[in-house]
Amino acid sequence: MADNNVREFDVIVIGAGAVGENVADRVVRGGLTAAIVEAELVGGECSYWACIPSKALLRPGTALHTAQSVPGASDSVTKVLDPEPVLKNRDYFTNKWQDDSAVEWLDSAGIELVRGRAHITGPREVHVDGKDGASYSLKAHHAVVVATGSTPVIPPIEGLRSVPYWTTRGATSAKHIPGRLVVLGGGVAGVELAQAFARLGSKVTIVARGRLLGSFHEEAASLVARGLRADGIHLRLGTDVTSVEHKDRSFSVTLGDGTVVSCDELLVSTGRRPSLDNLGLENVGLDAEDGKHLRLTTDPSGLVEGAASDGTSGLWLYASGDAAGAAFLTHQGKYEARATGDAIVARAKGTLHGTPKPWSSVAKTADEYAIPSVVFTDPEVASVGWSFKQAVEKGINASSVELPINVSGSQLHSENYRGWAQLVVDEDRKVVVGATFAGPGVAELLHGATIAIVGQVPMDRLWHAVPSFPTISEVWLRLLEKYGL
């Protein structure tokens, strides 16, 4: 493409992560043409610096700990991990940070890749500063989709921005295991990486302003805290950081009480926000409030509200995944992407007008009712739907049934198994609206709860969904019995 030579496509997707790939794939399947613009690696954050490498770092420690917790196996396994093969396996799952296979998939799917940084210059118009040094002008007939993911939120701590700290990218792509690691933040990424590095040999301290895993039920979070402490992780909760220094390859982290914690690497994991900077959204009437980062508002199909029109139709700008700001989870972003891609095709064909119907293929309705989330620590936490507090705040006549996970399946899973489960029930409709499980191996319990919520399965019908024996899923029977069925 020559400089200033305008190329036209039906749809232009900005961001070639899992979300962008799914949007582009759906529109091409629907008979439209698509270009996808990416400044880094095709496959995005999840593939190279988040979900995949973090789980590759976590899984060996969990597998080893499980074997050590099973009588008959514990005497036959080593007591510590060898970091070298763990990092090698992580490198395998990230394809050593090469995106050749992802690019091949785009080509096979009929999606054109433009490598470079995208800048929206007007309705349906995108300028790209190519990685090859050239500049490109792209025009969309139907839609431009922002699928740029999210970026770390860096807290305003004195000295922090002048030191070589890690974000999750640095941690998941690490080439060495630090002797001492301090993690700022007690959210999902922080606790997962803290445990991964602790089991690989680091002495880890977590510093968090609030409690651990503040968005999850406290009972579940307390089980994770117990597991982290068992791995030797020092938890400094309800604690502020006042300053950070870096000297002689060592960090000094000063806490609010005056305590100084020293470490070899510092991981800042204090949240994320939609990555919308420098996209040119101000050129189409979307500006951030003074002193704040831009947030986009979308309809159930991902259509961005407030974008300027080019005079033919205002229905052209979409956002999906982290960029849309609803749920910073890869699986939920891919679900949103499928709805958005199908909605773009439907509007292009004239079969969708206005706001889509809830639970249709072109609406991301589950974002409101059933977002599944797993913390892959050991023990795990798996949650979907509303907490009891959220249900009450929404005006639901809610009840909660809670109990320890103590069934034959959990006893066989590992010695001294500790777990906890909760169902939140809408008493007027007699359906589950929320569920949380905590304990080793509970992630695989979550999809059943997600189906129950999305399908609005009545409690008395759930009674007939018989869990296999002996599995941890038998906890469903115990929950229903305690509920009164």
Side-chain angles (χ1 to χ4, degrees):
M1 289 187 293
D3 191 14
N4 296 323
N5 180 32
V6 178
R7 291 282 313 274
E8 296 189 8
F9 299 88
D10 291 322
V11 179
I12 299 168
V13 180
I14 304 174
V19 173
E21 289 175 327
N22 271 267
V23 173
D25 186 43
R26 298 300 277 206
V27 299
V28 169
R29 288 189 188 192
L32 304 182
T33 61
I36 195 165
V37 184
E38 177 55 58
E40 295 187 290
L41 296 179
V42 175
E45 200 79 15
C46 178
S47 298
Y48 305 104
W49 300 288
C51 320
I52 298 301
S54 65
K55 305 314 171 282
L57 292 173
L58 275 164
R59 179 58 189 161
T62 300
L64 177 59
H65 182 251
T66 299
Q68 292 171 342
S69 303
V70 178
S74 57
D75 293 333
S76 303
V77 297
T78 181
K79 300 301 181 183
V80 295
L81 288 175
D82 180 355
E84 184 176 350
V86 174
L87 295 179
K88 184 178 180 180
N89 188 54
R90 184 273 317 272
D91 292 350
Y92 166 79
F93 274 102
T94 60
N95 197 32
K96 296 183 178 179
W97 293 274
Q98 300 295 316
D99 62 1
D100 311 64
S101 60
V103 173
E104 289 175 6
W105 177 85
L106 286 182
D107 185 59
S108 68
I111 302 164
E112 181 153 345
L113 171 63
V114 181
R115 289 193 183 271
R117 295 199 174 276
H119 193 77
I120 298 172
T121 55
R124 296 188 174 89
E125 297 176 353
V126 177
H127 175 85
V128 180
D129 292 320
K131 294 188 73 174
D132 57 3
S135 61
Y136 306 107
S137 295
L138 309 180
K139 178 75 174 181
H141 295 152
H142 296 293
V144 173
V145 184
V146 177
T148 47
S150 58
T151 192
V153 173
I154 306 303
I157 296 171
E158 180 183 340
L160 180 59
R161 293 182 181 272
S162 63
V163 303
Y165 60 84
W166 279 352
T167 63
T168 52
R169 279 196 173 199
T172 56
S173 61
K175 302 301 182 185
H176 70 285
I177 305 302
R180 302 166 299 170
L181 173 67
V182 168
V183 179
L184 303 188
V188 177
V191 298
E192 286 183 348
L193 289 168
Q195 187 169 53
F197 277 94
R199 288 182 167 182
L200 287 166
S202 296
K203 294 182 65 175
V204 181
T205 300
I206 294 177
V207 182
R209 296 183 64 184
R211 69 173 176 84
L212 210 66
L213 297 174
S215 62
F216 292 85
H217 195 287
E218 193 165 0
E219 188 73 28
S222 69
L223 286 176
V224 174
R226 179 187 179 96
L228 297 181
R229 289 190 176 102
D231 285 325
I233 298 173
H234 188 202
L235 303 182
R236 296 296 304 268
L237 307 180
T239 303
D240 287 321
V241 175
T242 59
S243 66
V244 174
E245 294 181 358
H246 184 256
K247 186 178 181 181
D248 298 328
R249 299 183 180 181
S250 178
F251 293 85
S252 296
V253 181
T254 303
L255 308 185
D257 61 1
T259 303
V260 177
V261 182
S262 297
C263 58
D264 305 299
E265 296 289 354
L266 175 66
L267 168 58
V268 180
S269 181
T270 49
R272 301 184 71 84
R273 62 176 177 83
S275 185
L276 302 174
D277 297 343
N278 303 314
L279 281 179
L281 291 167
E282 68 278 2
N283 294 327
V284 291
L286 298 169
D287 294 295
E289 297 180 21
D290 290 342
K292 295 183 179 181
H293 292 289
L294 178 62
R295 293 271 178 172
L296 300 178
T297 301
T298 63
D299 84 343
S301 69
L303 190 67
V304 175
E305 298 179 7
S309 170
D310 61 359
T312 58
S313 171
L315 308 179
W316 68 276
L317 183 62
Y318 294 77
S320 198
D322 288 12
F328 291 3
L329 297 162
T330 298
H331 51 267
Q332 206 69 16
K334 291 164 69 174
Y335 158 77
E336 294 169 9
R338 294 190 290 269
T340 293
D342 288 353
I344 291 169
V345 172
R347 288 193 172 110
K349 294 181 176 180
T351 58
L352 174 61
H353 304 280
T355 302
K357 294 181 180 179
W359 301 115
S360 66
S361 64
V362 294
K364 50 181 182 178
T365 313
D367 278 4
E368 183 178 350
Y369 298 99
I371 297 176
S373 178
V374 177
V375 186
F376 287 94
T377 46
D378 182 16
E380 296 171 336
V381 179
S383 180
V384 63
W386 301 332
S387 67
F388 177 74
K389 180 181 179 181
Q390 288 171 327
V392 171
E393 289 174 348
K394 291 178 181 291
I396 303 295
N397 177 23
S399 67
S400 174
V401 55
E402 308 164 16
L403 47 72
I405 298 178
N406 185 15
V407 294
S408 296
S410 63
Q411 295 164 8
L412 286 165
H413 180 280
S414 52
E415 192 173 27
N416 301 317
Y417 185 103
R418 289 179 179 270
W420 179 83
Q422 177 195 45
L423 293 181
V424 179
V425 180
D426 179 339
E427 289 297 338
D428 293 335
R429 294 186 297 142
K430 296 296 182 181
V431 296
V432 178
V433 294
T436 298
F437 306 96
V442 298
E444 298 301 336
L445 298 180
L446 191 59
H447 195 55
T450 304
I451 292 171
I453 295 171
V454 170
Q456 300 179 26
V457 182
M459 294 292 286
D460 57 1
R461 181 60 63 89
L462 278 176
W463 177 252
H464 297 281
V466 181
S468 298
F469 180 88
T471 65
I472 301 175
S473 291
E474 197 178 8
V475 71
W476 277 92
L477 174 59
R478 302 297 169 231
L479 285 164
L480 293 172
E481 287 177 333
K482 186 170 182 180
Y483 179 74
L485 294 176

